[in-house]
Amino acid sequence: MATLNLTSFNPGSFTLVGIPGLEQFHIWIGVPFFVIYLVALAGNGILLYLITMDHSLHEPMFFFLSMLASADLILCTTCVPKTLGIFWLKSQKITFPGCLTQMFFLHFSFFLDSAILLGMAFDRYTAICSPLRYTSVLTPRTIVKIMVGIVGRSFSVILPVVFLVKRLPFCRSRIIPHTYCEHIGVARLACADISINIWYGFAVPVMTIISDLILIGISYSLILHAVFHLSSRDARQKALSTCGSHVSVIIIFYTPAMFSVLTHRFGHNISLTFHIMFANLYVAIPPALNPIIYGVKTKQIRDKVILFFFSKRMQ
C-alpha cells in the first residue's frame, strides 16, 4: 500500500497526445508551427540585439519592449519545441517534473506578458500626459523596481499552482489530450478533489488579468484624452501611431488568453479539437507577431532594423 501511494504521488510520466481528432495531420500541422516559431525566435532575437547594442534605444519604452520580447521567447520556447516533437517525432512522453516545469514557465510567462503590457501602458501615459516629468518619473532605479515587481508578482501568483498539482495523487489515466502541460488539464487526471485547483486556476488569473485590463483601459483613456488636445497634428499622429502598436499587441495577447481561461471553466460545449488548436495558436502567434508590429509601427525600431540588414548586405 505504501508503494502504491508513493507511485500515485510520483506518477513518473504523462503522455501528451497532441491535437485530439487531428492526429493524422500532425506532420502537416507542424510545418506552419515550425515557421511561426522561427519567426518568433528571429524577430524577438533581433529586437533584443538592437535594444541591447544601440545606446539610442536605452530608453524606458524600449526597456519594456525588451522585457516583452524575453517573455515571448520564454512562452513559445516552453511549448512549441515539445509540440513539434509530438507532431514529428511521436515524442509524447513527458516526466512529471518536466510537466511541472513546463506548466510553471507557461503560466509564468503569461502573467509576465500581462504585467509588462501594463507597464508599457504606464510608460506611454507618462510620456504623453506628463512629457516634462517623463525622465524624472521613469528613472533607471524606478525601472528596476518595476521590473522586480513584475517578475515578483508573476512568480508569486504561479508558484502555488505547482504545489497544488504536486500534492495530487495520480492513480488513473496519465494521458493528457493536449500538446503541453497546463494546470487544469493535468489536475483533471488526478484521483482526488481538485476544487481548489479549479477555483484558484480560474479566480486568480481572471482577477489579475481583469485588474490589468482595467488599469490599461484607464491609462489609454487618459492618453487619448491628452492626444486629442495636442495642438500639433504631427504630434497627434505620432502619439496615436505609437499607441496603436501597443493596442494591437494588447488585443492579440488578451483575446485568445481570455478565451482559453473561460473555456476551461465554462466552455463545455466547445470542441476539444478547436480548443487545443486555439491554445497552440495562442502560444505561437503573439510571440511571432509582436516584434513585427513594433518593427512596423515604431520608427526607431524600423530604422534600426533597416540599417541592420542593409549594413549586413553591404559587408
Side-chain angles (χ1 to χ4, degrees):
M1 181 63 71
T3 304
L4 178 60
N5 289 338
L6 183 63
T7 302
S8 64
F9 279 89
N10 296 273
S13 64
F14 291 97
T15 299
L16 295 163
V17 301
I19 303 177
L22 297 178
E23 288 86 355
Q24 65 271 33
F25 302 111
H26 276 175
I27 292 177
W28 302 108
I29 295 173
V31 175
F33 275 98
F34 179 66
V35 173
I36 292 169
Y37 182 55
L38 289 182
V39 171
L41 289 180
N44 289 291
I46 291 171
L47 206 57
L48 285 170
Y49 174 80
L50 292 175
I51 293 172
T52 302
M53 301 302 294
D54 196 314
H55 290 283
S56 67
L57 299 180
H58 291 180
E59 299 176 7
M61 182 179 79
F62 299 110
F63 175 81
F64 285 116
L65 188 53
S66 67
M67 287 188 66
L68 183 67
S70 301
D72 282 343
L73 285 174
I74 294 172
L75 177 61
C76 62
T77 302
T78 297
C79 301
V80 178
K82 180 61 181 177
T83 298
L84 293 175
I86 296 169
F87 288 167
W88 290 347
L89 305 175
K90 305 298 182 184
S91 177
Q92 297 179 310
K93 296 292 184 181
I94 185 169
T95 64
F96 186 52
C99 191
L100 290 178
T101 302
Q102 187 182 54
M103 182 193 309
F104 172 81
F105 282 106
L106 167 68
H107 296 304
F108 173 75
S109 59
F110 168 75
F111 283 99
L112 204 59
D113 267 347
S114 181
I116 292 167
L117 290 174
L118 176 58
M120 295 176 79
F122 174 70
D123 168 77
R124 290 300 85 200
Y125 164 76
T126 308
I128 294 171
C129 298
S130 301
L132 299 178
R133 299 179 57 225
Y134 182 70
T135 54
S136 61
V137 172
L138 288 172
T139 62
R141 187 172 182 177
T142 302
I143 293 294
V144 171
K145 288 180 180 179
I146 293 174
M147 180 190 70
V148 172
I150 287 172
V151 175
R153 190 195 76 165
S154 304
F155 183 84
S156 61
V157 168
I158 294 306
L159 189 62
V161 169
V162 176
F163 290 102
L164 284 173
V165 174
K166 191 174 176 59
R167 71 182 176 88
L168 294 173
F170 296 89
C171 51
R172 297 197 296 261
S173 171
R174 296 170 193 166
I175 299 174
I176 303 173
H178 212 312
T179 57
Y180 53 79
C181 295
E182 53 83 32
H183 176 209
I184 300 301
V186 176
R188 282 179 174 154
L189 300 179
C191 48
D193 181 29
I194 62 168
S195 299
I196 297 176
N197 296 72
I198 290 174
W199 285 110
Y200 188 90
F202 173 72
V204 172
V206 167
M207 287 190 297
T208 304
I209 298 308
I210 287 179
S211 64
D212 286 351
L213 278 171
I214 289 173
L215 292 173
I216 289 171
I218 292 172
S219 298
Y220 277 102
S221 298
L222 296 172
I223 287 170
L224 288 174
H225 181 267
V227 165
F228 287 114
H229 282 79
L230 292 174
S231 57
S232 170
R233 183 179 178 182
D234 289 340
R236 284 199 301 270
Q237 289 180 341
K238 182 179 179 181
L240 287 173
S241 177
T242 303
C243 292
S245 59
H246 296 172
V247 172
S248 300
V249 169
I250 287 167
I251 292 171
I252 290 171
F253 172 75
Y254 281 112
T255 301
M258 291 303 293
F259 173 84
S260 183
V261 170
L262 293 173
T263 299
H264 270 302
R265 189 68 184 92
F266 304 109
H268 304 297
N269 296 324
I270 295 177
S271 164
L272 182 62
T273 301
F274 177 79
H275 181 199
I276 303 305
M277 176 64 83
F278 199 84
N280 277 276
L281 293 175
Y282 154 68
V283 300
I285 290 181
L289 288 182
N290 289 349
I292 295 174
I293 291 171
Y294 281 109
V296 171
K297 289 283 189 178
T298 309
K299 186 177 185 301
Q300 296 100 313
I301 294 292
R302 184 171 65 247
D303 292 344
K304 299 300 179 183
V305 170
I306 293 171
L307 182 63
F308 174 77
F309 284 105
F310 182 76
S311 62
K312 290 290 185 184
R313 288 184 180 180
M314 292 295 291
Q315 291 177 0

